[in-house]
Amino acid sequence: MQAVHHLAGPCLVLAGAGSGKTRVITHKIARLLQPGSGADLSPRQIAAITFTNKAAAEMRERARALVGGKAAKELVISTFHALGVRLLREDGAAIGLKSNFSILDSDDVLGLMRDAGGTTDNATARRWQWTISLWKNQGLDAAAAEAQAAGPDDVQAARVMARYQERLAAYQAVDFDDLIGLPVALLTRDAAVRAKWQQQLRHVLVDEYQDTNAQQYELLRLLVGDGSERPAMFTAVGDDDQSIYGWRGATIDNLKRLPQDYPALKVIPLEQNYRSTGHILRAANRVIAANPKLFEKKLWSEHGDGEPVRVVECDGEEHEAERAVARVQALRGAGGQDLEWKDFAILYRANHQARIFEQALRKAQIPYKVSGGQSYFERAEIKDLCAWLRLLVNQDDDPAFLRAVTTPRRGIGHQTLASLGEFASRWKVSLFEALFADSLGASLGAKAIGSLHEFGRLVNDLEHRARHTRGAEDAKALLMGWLKDIGYEQHLHDGEDSEKLAAARWSNVLDFVDWIAKRCGGDIVQDAGTFETEKKSVLEVAQSIAVIISLAERGDDQNVLTLSTLHAAKGLEWPHVQLVGVNEGLLPFKTDDESLSAAALVQRLEEERRLMYVGITRARSTLVVSWLRRRKRGRDTIAGQPSRFIAEMKLDEERAREDPRERLKALRASLAARSAEGAAPA
């Protein structure tokens, strides 16, 4: 109630795991809109910023229940990146960006990195990609990165960054990091644009604040002001104990900076947990107590103690997987129809740990999903179609041009494209613009030019029709006609040995057509973290497609057990959780990077401890933590040591004060699990 009713200035809500942070945000939105609150805001002046489309969709649904459909529709509820797109589409011209700029996906960026660095080695290009992304998230340009380079590798990456940025500018394209960095540059340089957006967004609420990076913090500061001319009106909701994304630029320093930058900041901790039992919360509190505290808080619950947290010692990976499966079967057997497969999760530190559990689950015929597997939008056939749509939006998008012109192949070979590329570079034009140049005949033969012109006319015709086609049915008809014209279904069959695989890929294409048609039809659908109810043209949908798919999570409510990394599990919860492979070297993860300083190693350990805390607090009713006496490392088998985090849970203290009835209950559950394990087929 304090957090919801504090409207006089900046507010930091320290929302512990399971303490109801989304509820705070949505009720605060309702309070800001309430007559007599003193805020005097309209829905369109309130922005709620999240990190994923899924979180934005959930927030809008909850807000709709509180403030009604009309007001909820006008609220600016979006991801950081979608808000960045909105700023740049409206005002990017002030920094030389056309409104129809392209947003490159990770594969396109990798291709540009190879080109900018003059290499064909993907591993090298990917290292540059990660390094440059971190620099951008810290607000560094190529010159600043080179000035602070720690060695020759960093110097090389900084020079590649300079050439990469030149290519982005030439293609009128941005990468995902630019969707934050460029709005920061825009608002910093242009006082009129900054004043416009500060007036337009009068109260900003930020979810998962601890996950923000340096540039996202700057964007927030530029949107709300520094508090000198008018009070900075924002509500940041986060938890310093759940900051686990340091490896991708998120910084806990943003929490330290808030009270320094905004002395009037009101800090409100939420300590009551509505998710987990007492035993689980005490284990979590003890682990995280070993980290230095920015703000003091301790979780508590009214759910009672529940079952004690159990630690299981296993011989090796196969034994651990068998015991995990046996426990699921035993709990299902004891719980009868009340327990479903979706009530269970097995969580681990690294993706490679999933394989052995998948094998054990398949053997036991338990349905499961692996969180963080290949996204629907990462499939080759979907990326093919997205390249075509990006080219319609921005004909200077050379990566999209190269993918579209070769998918399906239309008699335009690599030599033709190489000559076209040389011509385009010489005259400093895009590939698409170059193919219609009068002087291209000096570089290419008549047949090659004829094929290129045919492709160009096809793109221009499709762009014209996409601009004027609105509504779901017309959009679907246009897209299906286009796929038939380019022979895409046949292309899929030609590229697959198996008819079944080709049919599955074509089915994905049809799903994608439906997905676009819905967004053209005025249905209430999630679109880049917002909801759209007006009919749109195919071209308008194509303009926002890159940011939609980059953040898309195709949520479903399948009744399956979840296998997930700890990072991917953040924000989720299950009644029954098993943390597996909790060994020294795995959690905390041991890095072989000898260049890290002592301070960096301490920071790394503190983040790993927060990861353990996140894992523990995913569990509602029962939690089992398992470790390996022997574990595989590469091709070798080595002796395993239990993670230091297991000792930090101080479960011995729990056992000393445990109710004998609870102990008997746990013993029965353990016996049932062992019985099921013994009964499992060899």
Side-chain angles (χ1 to χ4, degrees):
M1 291 300 284
Q2 263 191 337
V4 167
H5 286 274
H6 181 77
L7 307 180
C11 180
L12 171 62
V13 182
L14 287 170
S19 63
K21 62 185 174 59
T22 307
R23 184 179 176 85
V24 166
I25 291 173
T26 51
H27 277 75
K28 187 148 193 177
I29 290 170
R31 178 66 179 149
L32 287 164
L33 293 175
Q34 201 172 29
S37 70
D40 193 29
L41 298 179
S42 70
R44 62 184 66 239
Q45 291 176 310
I46 298 172
I49 307 176
T50 70
F51 275 83
T52 66
N53 283 337
K54 188 176 177 183
E58 181 187 345
M59 198 173 287
R60 189 176 295 274
E61 278 306 300
R62 291 211 208 172
R64 184 192 305 279
L66 291 173
V67 303
K70 185 173 183 295
K73 183 186 166 190
E74 292 181 355
L75 292 166
V76 181
I77 298 181
S78 79
T79 60
F80 266 105
H81 294 89
L83 182 63
V85 171
R86 181 171 171 178
L87 265 74
L88 294 175
R89 294 266 186 233
E90 282 193 34
D91 294 304
I95 52 172
L97 200 62
K98 294 178 187 170
S99 64
N100 65 335
F101 61 85
S102 295
I103 304 166
L104 302 188
D105 69 15
S106 180
D107 279 3
D108 297 321
V109 169
L110 191 66
L112 279 188
M113 288 289 173
R114 288 196 304 263
D115 182 40
T119 184
T120 56
D121 180 41
N122 273 343
T124 302
R126 201 165 275 114
R127 278 198 301 276
W128 291 333
Q129 189 175 354
W130 271 96
T131 302
I132 290 167
S133 175
L134 280 173
W135 283 338
K136 285 190 174 191
N137 288 332
Q138 292 163 2
L140 302 176
D141 60 14
E146 186 166 356
Q148 66 162 47
D153 287 350
D154 280 359
V155 170
Q156 185 186 28
R159 289 173 182 172
V160 170
M161 183 181 185
R163 295 192 290 272
Y164 167 66
Q165 289 302 124
E166 287 170 6
R167 283 160 174 75
L168 286 180
Y171 299 158
Q172 279 290 304
V174 301
D175 62 26
F176 217 49
D177 300 313
D178 291 331
L179 296 180
I180 309 297
L182 290 177
V184 166
L186 169 66
L187 297 177
T188 301
R189 294 176 201 167
D190 196 306
V193 173
R194 184 169 66 249
K196 167 193 159 180
W197 283 97
Q198 287 183 357
Q199 188 58 33
Q200 203 163 313
L201 303 177
R202 299 276 301 284
H203 197 111
V204 179
L205 303 101
V206 183
D207 191 14
E208 302 284 15
Y209 176 76
Q210 78 284 344
D211 293 339
T212 55
N213 59 41
Q215 285 292 81
Q216 286 161 336
Y217 180 66
E218 285 307 313
L219 182 57
L220 173 66
R221 276 176 53 78
L222 289 161
L223 287 172
V224 302
D226 59 11
S228 58
E229 295 178 15
R230 63 181 176 92
M233 303 304 289
F234 69 83
T235 303
V237 181
D239 182 4
D240 49 331
D241 291 334
Q242 295 188 73
S243 178
I244 59 172
Y245 293 114
W247 49 275
R248 70 180 188 199
T251 173
I252 208 163
D253 288 344
N254 288 352
L255 277 160
K256 294 178 187 171
R257 285 181 63 184
L258 269 187
Q260 296 164 5
D261 292 345
Y262 297 96
L265 183 75
K266 174 84 170 172
V267 180
I268 302 169
L270 300 186
E271 296 175 299
Q272 182 174 1
N273 173 287
Y274 298 93
R275 174 188 300 158
S276 307
T277 61
H279 277 306
I280 292 167
L281 289 184
R282 283 194 291 274
N285 284 336
R286 287 181 188 128
V287 167
I288 207 64
N291 272 4
K293 307 297 285 183
L294 282 177
F295 304 96
E296 197 58 47
K297 72 174 187 309
K298 190 165 277 191
L299 295 181
W300 60 275
S301 168
E302 289 182 341
H303 286 332
D305 279 353
E307 288 196 25
V309 176
R310 286 181 56 218
V311 175
V312 174
E313 189 178 333
C314 303
D315 291 336
E317 284 88 348
E318 288 84 0
H319 184 224
E320 183 178 44
E322 286 166 10
R323 293 197 71 165
V325 167
R327 176 175 176 267
V328 170
Q329 291 170 322
L331 283 169
R332 279 262 298 177
Q337 296 304 309
D338 294 339
L339 282 181
E340 298 184 279
W341 298 120
K342 66 182 178 183
D343 294 330
F344 297 90
I346 296 172
L347 309 180
Y348 37 80
R349 175 64 178 82
N351 275 310
H352 71 83
Q353 293 170 267
R355 185 182 59 82
I356 201 79
F357 292 96
E358 287 193 73
Q359 290 172 353
L361 289 164
R362 283 200 299 268
K363 184 174 166 185
Q365 297 185 317
I366 294 176
Y368 68 90
K369 66 177 178 184
V370 181
S371 187
Q374 187 191 35
S375 159
Y376 171 82
F377 293 103
E378 288 171 354
R379 298 175 191 278
E381 58 272 22
I382 305 305
K383 293 186 111 169
D384 287 345
L385 306 189
C386 286
W388 276 86
L389 294 174
R390 280 170 36 203
L391 190 58
L392 302 189
V393 171
N394 174 13
Q395 293 179 342
D396 293 337
D397 188 339
D398 282 0
F401 176 94
L402 288 169
R403 186 154 192 155
V405 79
T406 55
T407 314
R409 294 211 169 273
R410 48 184 45 77
I412 300 171
H414 290 300
Q415 195 54 54
T416 297
L417 291 173
S419 299
L420 181 67
E422 286 168 14
F423 180 90
S425 296
R426 191 162 64 248
W427 295 102
K428 293 185 168 48
V429 295
S430 69
L431 293 170
F432 191 85
E433 193 176 345
L435 69 83
F436 288 114
D438 292 335
S439 53
L440 184 61
S443 302
L444 285 170
K447 186 179 177 187
I449 287 178
S451 298
L452 288 170
H453 282 181
E454 185 184 340
F455 173 70
R457 284 192 292 271
L458 181 61
V459 171
N460 282 333
D461 176 58
L462 185 59
E463 189 274 339
H464 176 77
R465 289 187 291 148
R467 185 183 297 280
H468 296 96
T469 301
R470 290 178 186 273
E473 285 185 23
D474 289 347
K476 187 168 183 176
L478 168 67
L479 294 168
M480 292 305 294
W482 158 58
L483 291 170
K484 187 176 179 184
D485 289 345
I486 65 173
Y488 194 75
E489 186 177 9
Q490 187 59 48
H491 162 74
L492 292 180
H493 283 276
D494 292 344
E496 288 289 352
D497 296 332
S498 156
E499 282 293 313
K500 190 174 176 183
L501 279 175
R505 292 182 67 191
W506 179 244
S507 176
N508 289 334
V509 169
L510 297 180
D511 284 348
F512 185 65
V513 168
D514 287 340
W515 188 84
I516 292 174
K518 268 189 193 172
R519 279 158 176 74
C520 296
D523 296 350
I524 297 183
V525 289
Q526 184 186 321
D527 192 350
T530 65
F531 280 65
E532 297 296 343
T533 54
E534 296 172 10
K535 286 191 176 182
K536 284 183 156 192
S537 71
V538 174
L539 199 66
E540 286 170 326
V541 171
Q543 280 183 325
S544 59
I545 206 165
V547 73
I548 300 171
I549 65 176
S550 295
L551 293 168
E553 297 111 355
R554 289 166 61 81
D556 54 46
D557 292 319
Q558 295 170 284
N559 183 21
V560 295
L561 177 148
T562 299
L563 290 172
S564 174
T565 62
L566 289 164
H567 283 100
K570 185 167 169 291
L572 305 175
E573 60 182 76
W574 296 269
H576 304 286
V577 169
Q578 301 186 63
L579 300 185
V580 298
V582 185
N583 278 62
E584 284 294 309
L586 284 172
L587 182 66
F589 185 77
K590 185 178 186 302
T591 176
D592 295 326
D593 187 350
E594 294 177 0
S595 66
L596 289 175
S597 66
L601 287 170
V602 169
Q603 283 185 340
R604 182 77 63 91
L605 176 61
E606 288 172 2
E607 180 155 318
E608 292 289 303
R609 187 174 282 116
R610 293 194 290 269
L611 199 54
M612 179 73 176
Y613 174 83
V614 165
I616 294 170
T617 53
R618 298 312 92 201
R620 295 214 300 258
S621 302
T622 73
L623 174 66
V624 169
V625 178
S626 60
W627 66 278
L628 309 167
R629 279 192 289 266
R630 286 183 298 278
R631 68 180 183 89
K632 293 190 177 105
R633 189 168 67 185
R635 294 185 175 180
D636 300 324
T637 298
I638 62 170
Q641 293 293 323
S643 167
R644 69 193 74 185
F645 301 150
I646 292 178
E648 289 175 4
M649 290 194 290
K650 298 180 182 173
L651 298 179
D652 290 342
E653 293 181 16
E654 292 291 326
R655 279 194 280 276
R657 42 182 269 198
E658 191 182 314
D659 185 326
R661 287 168 297 182
E662 291 289 346
R663 197 179 306 169
L664 185 62
K665 190 174 171 186
L667 183 62
R668 282 178 178 152
S670 176
L671 287 169
R674 285 178 190 168
S675 169
E677 186 182 338

